Amino acid sequence: MKVVKFGGSSLADGAQFEKVINIITSDEQRRVVVPSAPGKRFKGDIKVTDLLIAFADKTIAGADLSEIKKQIIERYTAILDYFEITDAPFVKTLTETLDQLARVHYPTFDYLYAAFTGHGEYLNAQLLTTVLNHLGYPAEFVRPDEIGIVVDGTPRAAIINPFCYPQMNNYKVSADKITVVPGFCAFDHDGAMVTFSRGGSDITGAILARGLQADLYENFTDVSAIYTVNPTIVPSPVEIQTMSFREMRELSYAGFSVFHDEAILPVIETNVKINVKNTNDPTAPGTMIVPTSAVDTQTITPITGIATDARFAAIYIHRYLLNKEVGFTLKVLQILAKHGVSYEHMPSGIDDMTIIFDKSLVTQAQIDQVCSEIEQTVHPNEISLIPEFALMMVVGEGMHSNPNTPTIILSALSQAEIGVSMINMGASEISLMLGIDTHKIDEATQIVYEQFFA
Amino acid sequence: MKVVKFGGSSLADGAQFEKVINIITSDEQRRVVVPSAPGKRFKGDIKVTDLLIAFADKTIAGADLSEIKKQIIERYTAILDYFEITDAPFVKTLTETLDQLARVHYPTFDYLYAAFTGHGEYLNAQLLTTVLNHLGYPAEFVRPDEIGIVVDGTPRAAIINPFCYPQMNNYKVSADKITVVPGFCAFDHDGAMVTFSRGGSDITGAILARGLQADLYENFTDVSAIYTVNPTIVPSPVEIQTMSFREMRELSYAGFSVFHDEAILPVIETNVKINVKNTNDPTAPGTMIVPTSAVDTQTITPITGIATDARFAAIYIHRYLLNKEVGFTLKVLQILAKHGVSYEHMPSGIDDMTIIFDKSLVTQAQIDQVCSEIEQTVHPNEISLIPEFALMMVVGEGMHSNPNTPTIILSALSQAEIGVSMINMGASEISLMLGIDTHKIDEATQIVYEQFFA
């Protein structure tokens, strides 16, 4: 049995719905389907989720809702029209649901936004069921909680409660019809609609793949595979055929964003394989994401992919005998925690440490406060801010059996006179992290790509 | 004015004393002298400090003390004999001091051992003063507290109280005579003798160099310079002419032990230069240890030295989304602190961290407890112990202006088919740390040495 998730661009209009239905019905293993909300039909179009956010904003503001409701309704009814469905009860459901959403009293704004946005998927799953049935394919809409999904966390960043998996294992997936489960949304202990973090249909799919013990989790999106490198830096790069869960994580960290980070968690413990495929080219093999143990060590290449990201800044702290003082790092981390600053990495030397941040997640005021408190508390011999730099992650399970990979990479950069300000390869030996000047990062990426894929 | 410290082997017997006195009296700038206790005269000999520890052990055990006292007295009187000094009051002082040491009541064993061992230097400073005066060189024995040295900490690991430096600045060093200050020992607030950590005469010298605003701190030992690499691995290696404080720290971390770690601290803030010299070859220039700002960037070589050490073990922790969980590292550090485990470094990846220990400082039981508590508290996807590996530190202020240095090193190791399991170069860019199999570390060291010094 396969769990199949479709992204928003795969369900943006009637023509895309048709492709999706062909994909679902062409393989009898595809029994559980997870749709996102309708995405953009063309450049500049607005996703239904964003329309729902505007609807929520207007509701809170007490503004006139008729125009925004009309826009949302039209997105769904255009799809019914495409299939020439005129008498479906879904139209009435749609209007009533939107009216109801605006009428309910919510305990917090978080709950309100969760309910509004979660309905993008909820309504689209009802619509997909309607269309499937209309075309003669038996299909049933099933709520996440009916399958046994239980969540904790906050209304807009729900987290699966892992104790619900045994209960989900008991759910019998019908062999005679297609089960359609809305992505992204779930229900909390009080029955209120909540959502995973944005893009969370990937997570719903992963939870179902694990809980229902699927043989494969197919994730349909709008690219034919995950590329070995960002195609805006290297045109038409090689596609990745197979990568491990760990490789995907390392790559997604520095710029790869095909698959939602948190969606990896439900599948890793049961080793369900993920196949990232293209709705617009469904016969292409796509990219398989598998456990490390399923990586073929015979055919493995030294590296699987290169990711780069220029979003980093760092605080450099030097203090003599730093490593002799038990608790030094602890004190620094407590200062970070106190000011709500989360850091990305913390490479350490003998007498120094570098705290790397995502610039977009911290303010200048936070950094100033942290620096000043570090100075007062731990009295470093030197503390300085590196305001911006890029990271390059070169990732490959094959690096372990090709120990000269770092040499090849550093030689190539060295020949091109590109300096490397930071080098980090940990005990996992599947990735090499390099700190590079933001102005040189694209050139550096092209050079490293050439070494392994040209 | 120069502060001059002599190590134990430089003061082991009369012949060595003669060399030391020639060194002191050949330069009028050498006004403050810090002697260690007499060291080994030949292979298999016992240092006076170790005789004093045996004396302390026997005192605690209530054993007969006559033989051990005799041995200690003979070490000092042999030096008097060498200079044909027969009537010095020092002989009486010596005997009375040892008798008194065994008679006093000490608040703790720590105080007892501090008093016994500290007298190795204390008596030797009195002896050196006696010999100098006998030879017609005006000299005065001065206690550390008379110059203004104030210490905190524990009896056998005293720490300088930095607030005493301004007071020391007021001490007038006599221009007409040699001031002899015993190394290693000091006096606490109650007047009890305490000591720095073992080898602490280096620290006394550094404190005096700073407090008395010396122009140079000369540190006389039994090698003509600090070598670029361990001479037991590479025979007759190149000597280091100049190195920075930071370089010395990085190198001393992995095996270089010419100069006491903690002795660097007093000098760095006032930028007093250190000259490591050889008592047996005093005209050799030795090695200058200077602030980074005093390193000559025109003549700098890519690397200054290579240090290696095979004393490490590591815990490897892998957990998906580790970097997204604020406080993960904090929790792990708290577990380490709870079990009294201090770690050396903690290189971190996207979803993993490696905690590197000095094997000699942790027990298997501690490691087992820490691993088990980490498993229960943070639920890693993988946790494993790397029971042993060696670290190579390649260090050089010149690395910054020679950015292809890591490439040269890794290429050479790669050609020799020596795998590197860990690579770390931080933002300071003055050292490259490599994890290498303990069985390959000597070969790896020879190969890297060849690249830069052959």
Side-chain angles (χ1 to χ4, degrees), chain B residues 9 13 45 104 120 160 206 229 273 312 338 382 401 437 452:
Chain B
S9 60
D13 57 22
D45 194 16
V104 170
I160 183 76
V229 68
K273 294 179 184 179
F312 301 99
K338 179 178 159 191
E382 187 187 335
S401 47
D437 191 305
F452 295 95

Side-chain angles (χ1 to χ4, degrees), chain B residues 91-171:
Chain B
V91 180
K92 193 164 167 258
T93 305
L94 178 60
T95 315
E96 283 176 1
T97 302
L98 296 184
D99 289 343
Q100 177 70 5
L101 273 176
R103 240 189 339 254
V104 170
H105 175 75
Y106 300 90
T108 66
F109 282 159
D110 251 14
Y111 273 104
L112 181 147
Y113 280 102
F116 275 65
T117 54
H119 271 86
E121 276 72 8
Y122 196 85
L123 290 165
N124 213 28
Q126 292 180 317
L127 174 59
L128 180 59
T129 310
T130 300
V131 176
L132 281 166
N133 283 324
H134 173 81
L135 296 176
Y137 301 110
E140 186 187 12
F141 171 88
V142 179
R143 283 164 51 123
D145 51 338
E146 293 178 273
I147 296 183
I149 293 181
V150 175
V151 295
D152 300 319
T154 57
R156 300 184 80 189
I159 294 165
I160 183 76
N161 179 328
F163 294 106
C164 73
Y165 286 121
Q167 193 190 333
M168 289 177 72
N169 289 170
N170 296 330
Y171 184 87

Side-chain angles (χ1 to χ4, degrees), chain A residues 243-245 268 270-273 289-295 397, chain B residues 320:
Chain A
M243 69 200 299
S244 72
F245 293 146
I268 47 166
T270 38
N271 292 340
V272 180
K273 294 178 185 179
I289 308 175
V290 303
T292 299
S293 58
V295 171
E397 296 276 355
Chain B
Y320 284 98

Side-chain angles (χ1 to χ4, degrees), chain A residues 169-435:
Chain A
N169 288 169
N170 295 331
Y171 185 87
K172 286 275 171 290
V173 177
S174 171
D176 306 327
K177 57 177 186 273
I178 298 153
T179 300
V180 183
V181 187
F184 184 50
C185 62
F187 295 89
D188 74 5
H189 298 281
D190 301 322
M193 184 181 283
V194 296
T195 68
F196 298 112
S197 56
R198 184 125 192 212
S201 291
D202 280 346
I203 304 174
T204 305
I207 292 168
L208 291 171
R210 174 176 172 178
L212 303 176
Q213 297 168 290
D215 301 301
L216 185 65
Y217 172 26
E218 289 181 320
N219 194 290
F220 278 87
T221 174
D222 51 9
V223 291
S224 287
I226 299 178
Y227 291 118
T228 46
V229 69
N230 185 339
T232 67
I233 300 174
V234 176
S236 310
V238 172
E239 294 171 354
I240 299 174
Q241 294 183 343
T242 304
M243 69 200 299
S244 72
F245 293 146
R246 293 198 297 177
E247 286 177 328
M248 198 218 67
R249 278 287 300 147
E250 303 266 341
L251 285 169
S252 72
Y253 179 68
F256 273 55
S257 57
V258 172
F259 195 67
H260 196 295
D261 269 359
E262 291 173 44
I264 200 94
L265 288 178
V267 292
I268 47 166
E269 280 164 33
T270 38
N271 292 340
V272 180
K273 294 178 185 179
I274 304 169
N275 194 358
V276 174
K277 286 175 78 81
N278 190 349
T279 301
N280 307 310
D281 184 13
T283 56
T287 298
M288 290 293 297
I289 308 175
V290 303
T292 299
S293 58
V295 171
D296 183 351
T297 52
Q298 295 301 307
T299 61
I300 203 164
T301 52
I303 78 165
T304 299
I306 307 160
T308 52
D309 203 317
R311 70 172 193 272
F312 301 100
I315 296 175
Y316 171 75
I317 302 171
H318 177 83
R319 177 169 145 164
Y320 284 98
L321 300 195
L322 182 152
N323 73 321
K324 287 215 168 171
E325 191 180 323
V326 177
F328 182 94
T329 311
L330 198 60
K331 275 184 212 161
V332 171
L333 292 182
Q334 279 162 344
I335 292 168
L336 294 175
K338 178 178 160 194
H339 293 285
V341 170
S342 75
Y343 64 95
E344 302 292 316
H345 304 281
M346 199 178 49
S348 70
I350 303 310
D351 282 338
D352 59 25
M353 60 196 290
T354 310
I355 307 165
I356 302 179
F357 304 95
D358 182 333
K359 273 189 298 181
S360 68
L361 299 179
V362 288
T363 64
Q364 190 59 45
Q366 278 179 309
I367 289 185
D368 292 345
Q369 282 173 336
V370 163
C371 285
S372 132
E373 196 160 331
I374 288 173
E375 278 205 81
Q376 285 158 27
T377 311
V378 301
H379 309 292
N381 294 94
E382 187 187 335
I383 177 165
S384 58
L385 181 67
I386 303 163
E388 61 168 38
F389 67 95
L391 283 181
M392 178 190 290
M393 297 287 305
V394 189
V395 176
E397 296 276 355
M399 227 180 252
H400 194 82
S401 48
N402 291 279
N404 60 338
T405 308
T407 308
I408 294 169
I409 294 165
L410 291 172
S411 299
L413 294 174
S414 180
Q415 268 166 37
E417 296 187 352
I418 294 175
V420 172
S421 61
M422 227 177 279
I423 306 175
N424 203 314
M425 182 181 81
S428 72
E429 286 181 66
I430 70 152
S431 69
L432 183 72
M433 178 168 83
L434 305 174

Side-chain angles (χ1 to χ4, degrees), chain B residues 315-329:
Chain B
I315 295 175
Y316 171 74
I317 302 171
H318 177 83
R319 177 169 146 166
Y320 284 98
L321 298 195
L322 182 151
N323 72 321
K324 287 215 169 175
E325 190 180 323
V326 176
F328 183 95
T329 311

Side-chain angles (χ1 to χ4, degrees), chain A residues 31-54:
Chain A
R31 291 287 90 182
V32 178
V33 175
V34 181
S36 295
K40 291 182 185 180
R41 293 158 296 183
F42 45 83
K43 202 163 178 250
D45 194 16
I46 304 172
K47 293 176 180 183
V48 165
T49 305
D50 290 318
L51 292 175
L52 288 162
I53 289 171

